[in-house]
Amino acid sequence: MQIKIDGKLYDFRKGESVLEVCRRNKIKIPTLCYHQDLLPGEGVCRLCLVKTSDSGDRIVTSCQTEAKEGLEVITNDGDIEKGRRINLELLWADHFGKCAKCKKNGNCELQNLARDFKIDVDDFIPTLDAFEKEEQLRLLKESLKNRVVDDGNPSIHRDNQYCVECKRCIKVCKNIQTIETYSMNHRSIETKVGTAREDPMDCIFCGQCANYCPTAAITEKDEVEKLEKILQDNGKMKIFQVDPEVLITLGEGFGLFKDDSVENKIPTALKKFGADFVFNGAFFNDIMIIEEANNLVEKIIKIQKGETGNLPIFSSYCSSWRLYVEKYQPKLESYLSNIKSPQQIFGALTKDYFSRIKKINKKRITTISITGCSSRKKEAEKDLNVDLVVTVRELVRFLKKRRVKLENLEDGKFDHPFAEHSGSGILPSLSGGLAEGVARTVYEQMTGEELSSVEFSDFRKVDGFKEVDFVIPKKGKNKKEIKIRFGIASEIRNAKRIIEKVKDDKEACHFIEIMACSGGCINGGGQPINVDLESDEKKKRKESVCERDQKSTNKKSHENEDAKKLYEEFLGKPGSRKTEKVLQNKN
Amino acid sequence: METKIITKNWDRIDPGSIESYQKDGGYQALEKALLISPKKVIKEIKKSRLQGRGGAGFSTGQKWEITDNQKSKKRYFICNLDESEPGTFKDKAIAENNPHNLIEGVAVGAYAIQAQKAFIYLNGNFSMAEHFLQEAIRQAKEKNFLGKDILGSKFSLEIKLIVGAGAYICGEETALINSIEGNRGEPKRKPPYTCEKGLFCKPTVVNNAETIANIPWIIENGAEEFLRIGTKDSPGTKLFCIDGAVKNPGLYEAPLGIGIGDLIIEKAGGIADGKDFWFAQIGGSSGRLAIEKDMTEKLSYNRENKIPLGSGSILVIDSMQDIKKLMLSWMRFFERESCGQCVPCREGTFRLLSILERLDNGNFNDNDREDFHKLVWTLDNTTFCALGKFAATALKDVVKHKFVPELKD
């Protein structure tokens, strides 16, 4: 099946729009509302204009025109160019003069288009010399009618003066996360995307809306200034932890896509600006995996003995998922694992344990978590042990403001006692990764024998929703073959499928790992946004995680040397009284 | 003899009484239709070449046939009574003068496509029409013209009256469907067309109220009789709302194909005393402007017509009127009624309005003139639905006829 675009033939797949065919073949068509993850196209920005053999002289949108055999498409001529330009000028008139103060300055899809089209005048707003000042002010104010600034939560910041009504946030929230926070409010020029009655946001704070927003209407809550203030406070000991997904994506913020060396620069960069200690977030993932594995083994043994095990276990790794269960599925709350998230573990261990070995009053410690997740900010709101959460995007802004060239920094190391990590400690950045790490540890814990091949690619090949049967053979300590079923999903719409299954049959899955963001934390709500829609950074990020697991000498959480030491010196055994006190949330 | 179809009995009918409608032969068309097969009803309407009276002029029979050919057995029939085109009040008049005519038309239409549920989508401002329609539905149910197994047939129908919020855009069929479904009243992309996937994704017929009011007459008198009225390409009559500088403004029924000048003189008594004719706007605020030499143009659904008929309203403007004020009033309407979904319509109507305000208060400059033409062009060519095009239509004619010297191209 082929269509003709600008005189050349191209293959197309059934159901594809003309715009998708163009994108695949690198034919440039400007758009603002279209996104390949959020199909079908809405056709509201009216920039992806084309003419086809069906439409004749009429201009149509390519995102809403289905490709069909023999269709001929013209992607550019005088009329098309004129229409795109005028419509872009209209949007720009509403945005004029707002860039300098804007967080997304330099990383904004509207700004890029304005630059491509060389739109530098506020065309539809009369200039001061031609008119009375009041007139211009009135027109500028008109565009600020119904302005809403939503600052009522710790994760996401909304300022609808930047909104271009592209509907991407509406779609990602409704179609992928099924939360439906956003809709269109008002009409005509006053139309704005917003929440119902413009109430402050109250959702799961996955931040996907911010990731898909082409402008700065929805962004992560900016705490760069707070970070700067903390770093200047010499009376405090500043302790950081860096989540493994940050090591993978931070380079992107600096345009270094395939550069692995960035990860060693982070401790150096942070220490350069006043950090006293920088801990490895993957270490805390290891601790969580050890505890989750222990929890699972205990329950399975209970069930083997004929007791009730209260299965399945819903992993509490993803804080958006935890919020989702608390808000929308309260009946399932008792299945949520009460083991703290890695960030909470970082906070607890730093303030309860590290302060003691360093003989410092814990009130003098400030803990800062660097993460790819917007929801961790919400989580830290109630966590007294974590003082500040900074997303990758904020860290990039912080470093760029100081003109830091990452690649020129010397390599640094994470600090003991929380420096080492296993391959499993990195995997939870990926959907299915936590489950895989747990499986590695469960196997050895139950059999008492070493696992020869540790990579279970089944866990990682998750396309939305998957069940993996993990067999623990009759071997070593294990007297009877046991099948453990893992349920894995990312995106809430897929999680709902698991929930439906588990509601009917509690034994359908034993351990359920759900990540709210598509593909896991590597695509979290605080990760760098790539405004180049043609890039495949999701794939690259996933490969990068797998590579790091492969390269690490130790792949199992329970063999992490720092973790072993921590259990010996402080926690005792997994699941002990002490761990209950330090590593678990009280119900 | 004067040919009337819709208004033939308005002077004798009590809109609040089903008996009065029945005495005049009401509901006989429904009885007749129920005795023949649904397919035959569609065939008859198709034969009559009845065209949609909302303005687009699409063949009603064809619309029904396409819907009937869909696989899904669940279908819906919708009567579009969201009339909000400025200067148009024909559908409202039908509902207020002869509501049972509408109910009967809806019942026949629903029977033809075998829909078990029909909706009448009413503009929320029409409270009197709401009262009469509500009452008419109740009475018709009592007499089993609606409800289960109508008149002993196997056909059941429920009609639900939906009162909208009076938004102009909800007269667009996909926006209307969104509104009934409980969504925001915004147009949806086409295809899929409503005939294939309409209300709740089921095949749906959306007909204008005036179209539906013709149906009982056609079933009763036959398509042949209907074809005798009007012209070859546009049979039947049309309701015209004549307003402005005429002697007798009001609602008139006339055969299609009548000339604009003839209509104004014969029906509305010509231009009011002491006024000079300037131009007439045909089809509401979204209509084109007809000047003196266009007065011989015929009003019909022929696509080659220079002046499209639109909704059938005629606003006669005399030379005393201020064209700038008139343009402002058109633009205020479209700016307010834009759903705000697409960029050129949401931003363009707003910017255009501010330019027209400056034109009116004398602050208009060369830059504004350039922008004016750009905006009219983008509204005409790039908007999501037809509302943008409508907003540009009259302005384009103002430029064409050189009514405003400042706007010369």
Side-chain angles (χ1 to χ4, degrees):
Chain A
M1 296 192 291
Q2 288 191 309
I3 60 169
K4 205 181 228 176
I5 303 172
D6 295 334
K8 267 177 81 183
L9 285 168
Y10 295 93
D11 290 331
F12 71 94
R13 301 176 201 125
K14 201 174 177 290
E16 245 180 344
S17 69
V18 170
L19 181 59
E20 284 163 81
V21 181
C22 290
R23 286 273 152 141
R24 239 180 338 100
N25 293 293
K26 310 261 178 256
I27 300 166
K28 221 172 163 149
I29 291 183
T31 87
L32 206 51
C33 66
Y34 166 89
H35 196 286
Q36 71 260 40
D37 297 345
L38 307 168
L39 298 175
E42 283 292 319
V44 295
C45 72
R46 313 309 283 180
L47 294 179
C48 67
L49 307 171
V50 293
K51 285 179 185 170
T52 70
S53 45
D54 277 2
S55 76
D57 258 354
R58 222 160 38 86
I59 300 174
V60 293
T61 45
S62 55
C63 69
Q64 296 195 300
T65 307
E66 207 170 297
K68 62 175 191 184
E69 187 64 50
L71 190 74
E72 287 177 38
V73 182
I74 303 169
T75 64
N76 213 340
D77 71 2
D79 280 353
I80 294 169
E81 174 80 13
K82 186 179 173 185
R84 288 174 182 168
R85 170 169 283 277
I86 296 173
N87 292 343
L88 197 54
E89 280 174 353
L90 279 168
L91 276 175
W92 194 244
D94 205 26
H95 257 72
F96 183 72
K98 291 178 184 171
C99 288
K101 267 188 84 179
C102 177
K103 264 190 272 186
K104 290 277 277 282
N105 191 5
N107 199 25
C108 165
E109 286 178 46
L110 179 62
Q111 197 182 34
N112 287 355
L113 283 172
R115 195 190 51 221
D116 291 351
F117 277 78
K118 298 195 175 60
I119 290 169
D120 56 354
V121 286
D122 47 341
D123 228 41
F124 295 102
I125 298 175
T127 46
L128 276 178
D129 53 317
F131 295 103
E132 303 279 320
K133 201 171 178 182
E134 288 77 38
E135 169 79 354
Q136 187 170 33
L137 277 176
R138 191 183 65 78
L139 283 169
L140 283 172
K141 265 188 202 152
E142 203 75 39
S143 73
L144 291 177
K145 252 189 194 172
N146 298 319
R147 182 181 174 196
V148 173
V149 179
D150 181 0
D151 219 355
N153 71 78
S155 289
I156 292 167
H157 179 86
R158 230 157 40 84
D159 184 349
N160 69 7
Q161 68 162 320
Y162 299 111
C163 180
V164 290
E165 286 85 29
C166 68
K167 294 192 177 182
R168 282 193 203 165
C169 55
I170 299 180
K171 279 160 89 181
V172 70
C173 195
K174 183 178 173 183
N175 302 351
I176 293 182
Q177 304 296 43
T178 72
I179 306 291
E180 297 191 47
T181 297
Y182 300 109
S183 61
M184 303 279 262
N185 291 336
H186 311 288
R187 68 191 218 180
S188 71
I189 191 67
E190 293 170 18
T191 307
K192 294 280 178 223
V193 173
T195 58
R197 300 180 302 276
E198 287 298 1
D199 286 343
M201 285 174 73
D202 183 18
C203 57
I204 61 170
F205 302 108
C206 66
Q208 288 301 309
C209 48
N211 282 12
Y212 284 98
C213 181
T215 65
I218 308 173
T219 50
E220 69 287 347
K221 178 140 180 173
D222 191 17
E223 283 175 316
V224 173
E225 276 178 30
K226 213 165 164 187
L227 176 67
E228 287 167 345
K229 226 174 170 178
I230 286 173
L231 287 171
Q232 280 161 9
D233 185 352
N234 289 328
K236 294 263 178 160
M237 181 181 272
K238 288 144 301 225
I239 302 180
F240 284 72
Q241 77 102 23
V242 185
D243 274 347
E245 68 262 19
V246 179
L247 311 180
I248 285 150
T249 56
L250 186 70
E252 285 177 30
F254 292 87
L256 310 165
F257 268 88
K258 258 286 181 191
D259 197 344
D260 294 344
S261 57
V262 171
E263 78 174 272
N264 298 326
K265 316 285 187 193
I266 294 173
T268 323
L270 292 173
K271 281 180 186 166
K272 194 174 160 171
F273 298 108
D276 295 300
F277 293 92
V278 181
F279 294 146
N280 189 348
F283 169 86
F284 304 105
N285 283 350
D286 277 334
I287 301 291
M288 183 176 195
I289 289 170
I290 293 169
E291 290 296 323
E292 289 277 29
N294 181 67
N295 189 12
L296 180 60
V297 170
E298 272 178 11
K299 290 198 173 178
I300 284 175
I301 289 172
K302 255 190 187 174
I303 285 178
Q304 275 182 322
K305 283 183 188 159
E307 297 168 37
T308 54
N310 196 25
L311 283 171
I313 299 171
F314 281 124
S315 152
S316 58
Y317 181 85
C318 172
S319 42
S320 282
W321 161 243
R322 203 155 51 182
L323 275 173
Y324 178 76
V325 173
E326 285 165 13
K327 283 184 183 169
Y328 300 91
Q329 307 278 353
K331 280 184 186 160
L332 297 176
E333 223 184 311
S334 62
Y335 296 101
L336 265 183
S337 159
N338 50 12
I339 293 161
K340 286 182 177 174
S341 80
Q343 178 179 287
Q344 291 170 320
I345 293 176
F346 152 70
L349 286 178
T350 305
K351 293 212 171 162
D352 284 357
Y353 170 69
F354 184 73
S355 66
R356 224 176 294 169
I357 58 170
K358 282 281 159 193
K359 298 197 174 60
I360 175 172
N361 185 342
K362 69 176 174 188
K363 282 187 187 137
R364 273 197 56 221
I365 292 179
T366 306
T367 48
I368 302 127
S369 168
I370 313 268
T371 174
C373 172
S374 55
S375 186
R376 289 276 187 245
K377 283 173 179 266
K378 176 77 183 170
E379 181 189 277
E381 193 183 31
K382 283 186 193 155
D383 185 354
L384 294 176
N385 291 328
V386 179
D387 299 312
L388 184 68
V389 179
V390 176
T391 61
V392 184
R393 293 206 283 270
E394 291 160 271
L395 183 64
V396 170
R397 274 204 301 281
F398 171 83
L399 293 174
K400 276 191 172 168
K401 204 171 157 189
R402 279 156 189 76
R403 307 271 187 273
V404 173
K405 284 239 161 40
L406 267 192
E407 59 271 35
N408 296 345
L409 292 177
E410 272 177 38
D411 280 359
K413 279 207 162 101
F414 287 114
D415 292 303
H416 287 285
F418 311 134
E420 297 294 317
H421 71 262
S422 70
S424 301
I426 298 200
L427 281 181
S429 310
L430 213 61
S431 173
L434 180 82
E436 184 172 341
V438 168
R440 290 176 186 177
T441 297
V442 165
Y443 180 95
E444 297 201 355
Q445 209 179 328
M446 291 200 75
T447 60
E449 292 192 8
E450 197 176 326
L451 195 56
S452 49
S453 161
V454 289
E455 271 170 52
F456 315 117
S457 57
D458 259 9
F459 282 90
R460 293 177 213 171
K461 281 189 200 133
V462 182
D463 192 14
F465 162 85
K466 187 164 195 181
E467 283 165 348
V468 181
D469 282 330
F470 182 68
V471 180
I472 301 197
K474 189 182 152 199
K475 210 174 179 189
K477 286 196 298 187
N478 195 31
K479 301 294 176 224
K480 206 175 121 198
E481 186 184 277
I482 299 170
K483 200 157 78 180
I484 303 179
R485 179 168 280 191
F486 287 86
I488 300 163
S490 71
E491 302 173 359
I492 300 298
R493 63 173 172 186
N494 297 317
K496 276 187 165 169
R497 288 158 68 187
I498 291 195
I499 290 171
E500 283 313 309
K501 267 192 133 163
V502 173
K503 267 185 184 163
D504 298 335
D505 177 11
K506 293 278 184 277
E507 307 270 304
C509 284
H510 300 115
F511 185 89
I512 295 169
E513 178 221 284
I514 285 162
M515 309 250 181
C517 297
S518 159
C521 307
I522 42 169
N523 303 316
Q527 295 285 23
I529 296 168
N530 195 341
V531 290
D532 175 15
L533 292 173
E534 279 146 49
S535 81
D536 51 348
E537 84 272 356
K538 283 189 181 173
K539 208 176 127 213
K540 283 184 194 157
R541 288 174 185 174
K542 186 172 175 177
E543 283 167 5
S544 187
V545 175
C546 296
E547 228 170 76
R548 269 159 227 248
D549 170 44
Q550 220 166 30
K551 272 197 234 154
S552 48
T553 41
N554 162 34
K555 296 194 172 56
K556 296 164 229 163
S557 299
H558 57 277
E559 282 174 6
N560 179 334
E561 289 301 328
D562 274 348
K564 277 184 185 169
K565 215 167 136 200
L566 176 71
Y567 275 98
E568 266 166 37
E569 289 178 3
F570 180 59
L571 292 173
K573 278 190 163 174
S576 69
R577 271 286 163 76
K578 191 80 187 171
T579 60
E580 242 170 68
K581 209 179 139 213
V582 182
L583 304 182
Q584 293 190 9
N585 285 310
K586 287 170 200 88
N587 285 333
Chain B
M1 192 200 85
E2 255 194 314
T3 334
K4 283 182 177 177
I5 292 177
I6 295 167
T7 59
K8 62 177 192 294
N9 48 11
W10 283 10
D11 49 353
R12 348 182 248 276
I13 283 204
D14 171 7
S17 148
I18 192 167
E19 286 81 11
S20 134
Y21 180 64
Q22 275 181 289
K23 216 183 281 168
D24 212 80
Y27 286 109
Q28 280 172 15
L30 177 61
E31 281 178 47
K32 194 173 165 188
L34 289 171
L35 293 175
I36 53 178
S37 74
K39 294 250 187 284
K40 267 198 181 145
V41 177
I42 295 178
K43 220 172 143 194
E44 193 67 19
I45 297 298
K46 210 179 159 194
K47 200 171 141 201
S48 77
R49 294 211 301 275
L50 173 66
Q51 289 140 317
R53 299 295 197 241
F58 189 76
S59 157
T60 306
Q62 220 174 321
K63 204 184 240 183
W64 291 11
E65 198 178 55
I66 297 168
T67 311
D68 193 47
N69 287 340
Q70 302 300 316
K71 274 195 199 119
S72 167
K73 288 289 155 234
K74 193 155 185 123
R75 287 107 185 245
Y76 294 104
F77 190 93
I78 299 174
C79 166
N80 184 350
L81 223 161
D82 188 59
E83 186 173 57
S84 19
E85 186 70 51
T88 310
F89 42 87
K90 62 187 180 70
D91 298 341
K92 176 170 172 271
I94 297 172
E96 288 173 0
N97 285 289
N98 197 356
H100 283 287
N101 184 17
L102 271 182
I103 306 291
E104 188 178 7
V106 170
V108 173
Y111 172 72
I113 62 157
Q114 291 290 296
Q116 294 89 37
K117 190 148 186 180
F119 294 87
I120 297 176
Y121 189 89
L122 183 71
N123 183 326
N125 299 312
F126 301 165
S127 48
M128 186 146 88
E130 184 189 347
H131 164 77
F132 281 129
L133 284 169
Q134 207 70 272
E135 188 59 18
I137 291 171
R138 192 189 62 77
Q139 291 172 353
K141 232 189 236 165
E142 246 173 45
K143 301 232 165 188
N144 195 219
F145 294 124
L146 295 175
K148 251 188 116 47
D149 300 336
I150 295 170
L151 303 176
S153 71
K154 276 181 187 148
F155 175 64
S156 305
L157 176 71
E158 188 198 337
I159 297 184
K160 196 169 176 196
L161 182 69
I162 305 262
V163 183
Y168 178 68
I169 196 65
C170 287
E172 201 278 344
E173 56 180 8
T174 54
L176 185 153
I177 283 170
N178 259 337
S179 175
I180 295 181
E181 287 174 352
N183 298 328
R184 189 179 155 88
E186 287 174 340
K188 285 194 260 202
R189 83 189 267 211
K190 289 191 230 175
Y193 295 96
T194 49
C195 294
E196 304 152 14
K197 269 188 180 175
L199 187 63
F200 303 116
C201 285
K202 299 284 180 247
T204 304
V205 164
V206 184
N207 279 154
N208 175 264
E210 189 189 343
T211 318
I212 291 171
N214 276 299
I215 298 207
W217 193 93
I218 296 172
I219 296 297
E220 240 181 293
N221 300 283
E224 294 290 348
E225 203 59 34
F226 189 75
L227 286 168
R228 257 178 260 244
I229 310 164
T231 65
K232 215 173 159 203
D233 51 53
S234 315
T237 63
K238 175 85 189 77
L239 296 181
F240 294 99
C241 314
I242 311 178
D243 201 357
V246 291
K247 273 203 187 99
N248 307 310
L251 182 76
Y252 300 99
E253 185 171 7
L256 280 160
I258 190 169
I260 300 174
D262 293 345
L263 185 72
I264 293 173
I265 292 163
E266 278 171 31
K267 297 288 179 183
I271 305 302
D273 292 336
K275 301 271 172 80
D276 278 331
F277 175 84
W278 188 7
F279 62 87
Q281 189 176 25
I282 315 296
S285 288
S286 61
R288 295 202 56 180
L289 310 183
I291 53 173
E292 194 76 54
K293 71 174 171 43
D294 299 323
M295 286 303 112
T296 51
E297 290 291 321
K298 303 273 179 264
L299 292 167
S300 74
Y301 290 108
N302 188 331
R303 283 188 195 280
E304 261 124 60
N305 280 1
K306 192 176 153 200
I307 309 277
L309 166 56
S311 64
S313 73
I314 291 163
L315 177 68
V316 178
I317 302 293
D318 64 84
S319 54
M320 295 293 284
Q321 299 303 320
D322 183 350
I323 183 73
K324 292 176 184 170
K325 290 265 188 291
L326 195 60
M327 286 164 80
L328 259 181
S329 112
W330 292 330
M331 218 52 228
R332 280 203 186 110
F333 173 75
F334 287 111
E335 193 267 342
R336 188 184 70 227
E337 295 297 341
S338 166
C339 78
Q341 183 172 223
C342 77
V343 172
C345 184
R346 178 184 69 235
E347 307 286 335
T349 52
F350 167 69
R351 297 291 171 195
L352 203 47
L353 178 63
S354 66
I355 288 172
L356 291 175
E357 275 169 1
R358 289 198 287 277
L359 178 67
D360 184 43
N361 65 26
N363 274 334
F364 189 80
N365 67 9
D366 281 355
N367 192 38
D368 281 338
R369 189 177 62 237
E370 200 183 300
D371 289 347
F372 173 86
H373 291 296
K374 270 158 77 174
L375 290 171
V376 169
W377 186 88
T378 201
L379 282 171
D380 195 25
N381 288 289
T382 71
T383 52
F384 190 100
C385 72
L387 192 140
K389 216 179 181 62
F390 290 165
T393 308
L395 298 183
K396 264 166 59 189
D397 276 354
V398 168
V399 174
K400 191 181 132 200
H401 296 311
K402 303 193 174 67
F403 286 161
V404 182
E406 292 99 309
L407 293 177
K408 68 175 191 303
D409 209 351

